[in-house]
């Protein structure tokens, strides 16, 4: 089986797995015992978002094909769009 490359950023990880399956790297996997907590990640805040039912179905389908939850897909896309807008307008974070 293939080996995972060394990633520099979270964006590199997302980009890599857009064209690769995690199942191709099971030999690199390690069992983790006990709770997993990434202290480097900032706390997430719950936000309610009203979506058209047809859009929600499409998002769920896309997310399922990528092997992620639709909420994760929405968050990833919003993050990408915000970064693009910051680069385009030159606004600081």
């Amino acid at each position: 089986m293939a080996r995972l490359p060394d990633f520099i950023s979270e964006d590199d990880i997302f980009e890599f797995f857009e064209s690769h399956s995690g199942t191709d790297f099971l030999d690199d996997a390690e069992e983790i015992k006990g709770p997993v907590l990434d202290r480097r990640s900032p706390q997430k805040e719950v936000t309610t978002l009203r979506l058209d039912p047809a859009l929600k179905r499409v998002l769920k389908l896309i997310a399922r094909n990528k092997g992620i939850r639709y909420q994760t897909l929405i968050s990833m896309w919003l993050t990408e769009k915000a970064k693009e807008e910051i680069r385009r307008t030159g606004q600081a974070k």
Side-chain angles (χ1 to χ4, degrees), residues 41-87:
S41 299
Q43 289 289 328
K44 303 282 178 148
E45 187 173 308
V46 175
T47 300
T48 301
L49 180 64
R50 297 187 184 277
L51 299 173
D52 179 89
L55 174 59
K56 185 176 178 182
R57 283 191 300 274
V58 170
L59 291 170
K60 283 185 171 187
L61 178 64
I62 294 168
R64 188 178 321 116
N65 289 336
K66 292 179 176 293
I68 59 177
R69 297 176 347 163
Y70 80 98
Q71 297 95 330
T72 302
L73 177 72
I74 292 169
S75 180
M76 287 169 46
W77 284 358
L78 287 172
T79 300
E80 289 173 14
K81 199 64 176 171
K83 286 179 181 178
E84 286 175 17
E85 185 67 15
I86 289 169
R87 280 193 297 268

Side-chain angles (χ1 to χ4, degrees), residues 28-44:
D28 282 349
E30 297 176 15
E31 182 179 354
I32 298 174
K33 299 193 186 279
V36 176
L37 177 62
D38 184 359
R39 297 186 188 278
R40 296 171 296 157
S41 299
Q43 289 289 328
K44 303 282 178 148

Side-chain angles (χ1 to χ4, degrees), residues 12-36:
D12 290 342
I13 296 170
F14 290 135
E15 186 175 311
F16 180 81
F17 283 105
E18 287 288 323
S19 59
H20 295 81
S21 171
T23 59
D24 294 337
F25 304 95
L26 292 178
D27 287 344
D28 282 349
E30 297 176 15
E31 182 179 354
I32 298 174
K33 299 193 186 279
V36 176

